[in-house]
Amino acid sequence: MSRKKPMNDRAYLLFDVVYTDGMRTSNRKVATTELIEWDLDRSVRAAIEAQDRDIGDRSGTPRPPIKSITRSATR
């Protein structure tokens, strides 16, 4: 049997993102190490925008601007 990784190695939060064109992506992962506690909204937006830039560079199609970001419901 394999051992589980320690929880600290895979700590992340999930967010739902709505773009200005109406497109929605669910359960976007943001590592807790990337977040600044006192400025959570801005650090989450920066992390997701960085992910979007990477996705756009790889696919050749840039993502539209973000309209809103909300925390995903926990399971």
Side-chain angles (χ1 to χ4, degrees), residues 19 23 28 48-64:
Y19 296 92
M23 183 175 71
R28 295 285 298 270
I48 291 178
E49 287 174 345
Q51 290 175 2
D52 284 350
R53 279 191 299 277
D54 186 43
I55 291 168
D57 289 345
R58 290 176 188 224
S59 69
T61 307
R63 295 269 179 131

Side-chain angles (χ1 to χ4, degrees), residues 4-45:
K4 289 185 179 183
K5 290 184 179 180
M7 195 61 158
N8 295 341
D9 289 348
R10 56 185 170 153
Y12 57 86
L13 298 175
L14 299 175
F15 295 91
D16 296 333
V17 181
V18 178
Y19 296 92
T20 55
D21 67 351
M23 183 175 71
R24 178 176 184 236
T25 59
S26 300
N27 298 328
R28 295 285 298 270
K29 292 181 181 180
V30 177
T32 56
T33 57
E34 295 181 33
L35 302 178
I36 300 170
E37 186 176 324
W38 53 269
D39 198 6
L40 189 63
D41 293 338
R42 189 174 292 165
S43 59
V44 168
R45 180 175 286 271

